[in-house]
Each structure stands twice: as structure tokens, then as C-alpha cells.
Amino acid sequence: MSPTKKIPSPIVSLFPIIILIGMLFATIRTFGSDALNGGSQVSLLTTTAVCIFIGITFYRIPWKDYEIAITNNIAGVSSAIIILLIIGALSGAWMISGVVPTLIYYGMKIIHPDFFLTSTCIICALVSIMTGSSWTTIATIGIALLGIGKAQGFEEGWIAGAIISGAYFGDKVSPLSDTTVLASSVTDTPLFRHIRYMMITTIPSLVITLIIFTVMGFTYETSGTEQIAEFAASLNSRFHITPWLLIVPVATGILIARKMPSIITLFLSTLLAAAFAIIFQPDLLYEISGSNGLFKGTIMSLYGSTSLQSDSAMLTELIATRGMAGMMNTIWLILCAMCFGGAMTASGMLGSITSVFVRFMKSTVSVVASTVGSGLFLNLATADQYISIILTGNMFSNIYEKKGYESRLLSRTTEDAVTVTSVLIPWNTCGMTQATILSVSTLTYLPYCFFNLISPLMSILIAATGYKIIKKTVNNPG
């Protein structure tokens, strides 16, 4: 869009946001958990049309500008869509092959209920650091831990909160994480300098989170050992449980350690799990295919939904898979969200709204708080963490420089505000993805994602203390 063109005022720019929030509220209220089947997507496309109508009619913004912005947005999430599809196949393969049931089976024997939530958070944090991906962590070990927690009697909100808290801590500080690399590159901050600086806010947030989960673990009334034993017996009767199946997660870990690209790692892990399904669970594959062969059963477990019956209702629900097809509603939502984000950007409405935050940037606290507020707003408005990171970094980069702040303060605040909160927003790509993978709604796990809730507040708190915040003297602080 040409800089000479008039852009909408902040009040006008809020109009599509208000419509979106209203439509999403009505959609969720009407359709409930089925809102992802099309209602939410229609809401996003409708508000996209409203945004474009206002821009073209009243501000003479050409259609070509919208088309380019939307196309660029969709191109930017193309790799995320591929990862989603592979994760769908991987989830099915890991379940049907017996990898997840084996992890659950041995995990129930190792993890004591009193320390389950704390252990879950730590395990997911370590795996996410190694993978650099919260999505991969949640889709693999996260699902296994969810099964263990349910067997021990924990509510799914608490379990998902512990899983997500740990996974997003690891994602945030891992040098393999795309969001970490993106935040550092957008703000021109060296990667490891960015990671070291993040520890000042990230470690305290994690410590507080672990304390909460530890206290809750001791006070929560979990299932007795008899129920756990019964659940383990049901697993053992339905699947061929063997330590050999642990080769799959070990091999996946080796690929990660060798820094293989995420898509390649996930794809090879899926193929290995599919091969192990043929070797160790042929009866299940015949059951899935209707006795029409191992090949058909294997392919169906990768792309489609499966429902294997057992003598435990909880186990039957746990081992049901959705495959690649189960990710289509999420992918559909992502595409619609990218359309909305592109329209808001091309019309200048996004820039108009976020410029309001700049007016309050006087002290260090107000600078950081404005960045946090802007990041949160962008997560809500664009429904994508990648776009939010890029826009936040680009919008505040010159401001931080003019005020004499180091770029690492901007990169850290951007991650504290955007990366960890994206999963808390129901219509954000991260929120929808994790809700789909775990089969736990965003609003159900939101109150228990303590790390994600504490991080932006910790960023502001540390700014208030001034700890490790260096401000250079500038001639024009403007």
C-alpha cells in the first residue's frame, strides 16, 4: 500500500475486530465444540470481507494490495500446514503401532501420581528443547502423558496445562525453534544472545509454574493403584507392549540431535512407526482395514480416523485417532485466519490500531508493557504467532533504537508476549492446533497453562526492576 494513501483511524480499524469477536462468540455459543467444523472459518472470512469492503469503498485501497498480502500470509504458513498433516499421520502411526501405549504403560509404572504434573511439565520442556517444536512435543510425548494423567485421575485441563507449559518453555528457549530464530532475526539480535537474555524472565516463570504443579500434585486426589493397574492391563491386552517399540522415539531423538529438519524428522518417524505397526500390531491393522490386508490398514491409520474398542471406555477414547484428515478443520481455519490477517495488514488497519500503543511508551515499564499489549493484540487479530512476531518486531524496532534500548529487550519481550500466549487464543493457529491434537478445548486448558500466563507478566515485572536492561544515551530519544 502506498504511504501517501489515507489509512483508517484506530476507531474504524476496530470495527472488523469487533465483528469478528461478536461472530466467534455467537458461533461458539451456537455450535459449541463443533465450531471448528465451519462456523469459525465463516466468521473469519466474513470479517475479512468487511475489512476489504471498508478499505476499497472508503479508502480507495486497490484489491491487488489485499490479494498480495493474503497470498504472502498463506505462503508464510505453508510449511506449518505440511507439518500439521505429517503430525496427523504421525499421531495415528504412533498410536496404532503401540508406541504411545507402550510409553503410557511404562510411564504409569515410573511416574508417581504426587509428582505427575511436575514431571509432565519437565519432560515436555526437555523434549521441546531437543525438538525445537512445541507442536511435535505435544503430538508425541504429550499425548502419552495425557493418557497417563487420565489413568491416574487428573482432570484433562490440568494435564494439558502441564504439557503445554513445558512444551512452550522448551520451544521458547530452544535454538532449534523457528519462533526463537524468527524473533531474534526480525530484531537483528544474535540468536544465543537472545536466548540467554530470555532466561531472565523465562526461568522465574518456569520455577513458579513447577511450584504450582508440585503443590497441586500433593493436594489432588488421584486414582488408586488398582485403577492404574486395571488401565495398564487393558493396554496390555489391546496392544503388544514391548520395549522394542521404544526404538521409534529413540530414533526420533537421534534425528533431532543430528539437527534434521522438522518435516524430515516427523516424516521418517512416521514411516518407522508404520513399519513397527506391521511387525507388532498386525491384528489391529486387520481390524482397521476390515480384514482387507496390512497395507490398507496401515494407510488408513495414517490418513483417516480409527476407533478401536476395548473393555475400558477411557482407553477406547484415548486410542482413537484422526490421522491426516483430522487436521483438515485446523488447516481450513489457518487459511481463513491468514486471509483476515492479510486484509487487516493491507488496509492499514493493523498498523493504525497498534500505533495507539506507541503513545504510552514513556518509561521502560511502559515501553515493555506496550510491546506486550501490542503482541497480545496481534495474536488476537491476526490469529497467527509468526505474523504477530514479525509485525511486533518490525513495528517497535525503530522505536526501541530511538529510545536507546538494546534489540535483545525487544526480542525477549516479543517472545514473552507472542510465542507463549498464541496457544491460549481459541482461534489462533496454535490454540486450534493444540486443542485438536490433545482433544482438549482451548478454554478448558487455558486456566492451567501457568507458564504461558505468567511469562508476559514476568516480562513487565522484570522491566519494572530494571534488571539487566541497558539504555544508551541518545541525542533524539523521540
Side-chain angles (χ1 to χ4, degrees):
M1 186 176 65
S2 172
T4 60
K5 293 181 180 178
K6 182 181 178 182
I7 64 172
S9 67
I11 295 178
V12 173
S13 301
L14 281 173
F15 189 63
I17 304 293
I18 294 171
I19 292 178
L20 175 61
I21 294 172
M23 289 196 66
L24 287 174
F25 176 80
T27 299
I28 294 172
R29 186 179 179 86
T30 303
F31 295 97
S33 59
D34 293 330
L36 267 183
N37 293 340
S40 297
Q41 290 87 333
V42 171
S43 298
L44 282 164
L45 288 180
T46 300
T47 48
T48 299
V50 170
C51 178
I52 294 174
F53 174 78
I54 293 173
I56 291 178
T57 305
F58 299 102
Y59 296 93
R60 299 292 186 266
I61 299 170
W63 163 251
K64 192 66 177 179
D65 288 3
Y66 293 102
E67 190 174 15
I68 292 172
I70 291 172
T71 301
N72 290 339
N73 275 6
I74 293 176
V77 297
S78 57
S79 60
I81 291 174
I82 295 172
I83 289 175
L84 266 178
L85 289 172
I86 299 177
I87 283 177
L90 181 142
S91 299
W94 273 46
M95 184 63 75
I96 301 303
S97 66
V99 172
V100 172
T102 297
L103 290 170
I104 295 173
Y105 182 82
Y106 291 122
M108 286 190 295
K109 296 179 179 295
I110 296 173
I111 301 176
H112 192 279
D114 289 347
F115 295 98
F116 171 75
L117 293 175
T118 305
S119 300
T120 294
C121 188
I122 293 173
I123 290 170
C124 288
L126 293 174
V127 173
S128 194
I129 289 172
M130 291 187 295
T131 62
S133 170
S134 55
W135 290 19
T136 303
T137 301
I138 294 169
T140 53
I141 192 66
I143 294 177
L145 290 167
L146 184 67
I148 296 172
K150 284 185 176 180
Q152 293 183 343
F154 286 95
E155 293 180 6
E156 59 183 13
W158 277 98
I159 307 168
I163 292 169
I164 291 170
S165 291
Y168 273 80
F169 165 82
D171 190 320
K172 185 180 175 186
V173 302
S174 173
L176 304 179
S177 169
D178 50 2
T179 55
T180 304
V181 174
L182 182 61
S184 63
S185 61
V186 167
T187 57
D188 292 325
T189 306
L191 178 60
F192 289 102
R193 179 179 172 85
H194 165 62
I195 293 174
R196 287 193 298 269
Y197 199 58
M198 274 200 299
M199 295 298 179
I200 298 173
T201 57
T202 303
I203 295 299
S205 299
L206 181 65
V207 170
I208 295 172
T209 298
L210 292 177
I211 291 173
I212 295 173
F213 284 135
T214 301
V215 171
M216 187 59 194
F218 279 104
T219 58
Y220 204 98
E221 184 178 347
T222 57
S223 301
T225 55
E226 290 185 5
Q227 289 177 292
I228 296 175
E230 290 176 4
F231 190 78
S234 297
L235 274 174
N236 201 22
S237 64
R238 201 68 181 90
F239 293 88
H240 180 196
I241 304 295
T242 170
W244 288 107
L245 288 167
L246 299 178
I247 291 175
V248 177
V250 170
T252 304
I254 292 173
L255 291 173
I256 293 167
R258 294 181 66 86
K259 299 181 179 180
M260 294 288 287
S262 296
I263 291 178
I264 295 176
T265 298
L266 291 170
F267 182 74
L268 293 178
S269 179
T270 302
L271 289 183
L272 183 60
F276 273 47
I278 295 173
I279 297 171
F280 293 105
Q281 318 294 343
D283 293 342
L284 295 182
L285 294 178
Y286 277 117
E287 182 178 337
I288 291 170
S289 66
S291 301
N292 288 325
L294 293 175
F295 176 76
K296 182 177 180 180
T298 302
I299 298 300
M300 288 178 65
S301 68
L302 296 179
Y303 77 79
S305 60
T306 64
S307 181
L308 302 173
Q309 298 301 313
S310 70
D311 55 4
S312 168
M314 183 186 296
L315 179 60
T316 299
E317 180 183 353
L318 173 65
I319 62 179
T321 67
R322 293 180 297 273
M324 297 172 73
M327 294 295 174
M328 293 312 297
N329 278 341
T330 303
I331 291 172
W332 182 16
L333 185 80
I334 290 173
L335 293 175
C336 294
M338 293 305 98
C339 291
F340 177 65
M344 288 290 290
T345 302
S347 64
M349 293 184 182
L350 209 54
S352 178
I353 295 173
T354 52
S355 66
V356 174
F357 291 100
V358 178
R359 302 173 188 174
F360 301 100
M361 299 176 68
K362 306 298 181 182
S363 63
T364 300
V365 176
S366 64
V367 168
V368 171
S370 295
T371 309
V372 169
S374 180
L376 287 170
F377 170 77
L378 289 168
N379 252 342
L380 290 164
T382 67
D384 183 77
Q385 62 175 345
Y386 300 103
I387 296 175
S388 300
I389 289 172
I390 293 171
L391 292 178
T392 301
N394 288 338
M395 183 176 65
F396 287 100
S397 181
N398 289 336
I399 297 172
Y400 272 64
E401 184 177 354
K402 288 180 179 179
K403 290 183 176 292
Y405 293 106
E406 296 179 302
S407 63
R408 63 178 183 170
L409 177 61
L410 174 57
S411 63
R412 183 182 75 184
T413 307
T414 299
E415 285 241 67
D416 287 340
V418 178
T419 302
V420 298
T421 61
S422 58
V423 72
L424 305 178
I425 300 168
W427 58 87
N428 192 284
T429 53
C430 292
M432 290 283 73
T433 298
Q434 308 317 341
T436 302
I437 292 173
L438 293 173
S439 296
V440 180
S441 70
T442 310
L443 297 180
T444 298
Y445 65 65
L446 187 153
Y448 309 105
C449 296
F450 298 109
F451 175 78
N452 308 70
L453 294 168
I454 293 170
S455 288
L457 299 177
M458 185 62 67
S459 190
I460 297 173
L461 177 62
I462 295 298
T465 67
Y467 182 70
K468 293 287 186 179
I469 295 179
I470 300 173
K471 186 175 183 181
K472 299 175 293 183
T473 302
V474 291
N475 295 328
N476 180 21

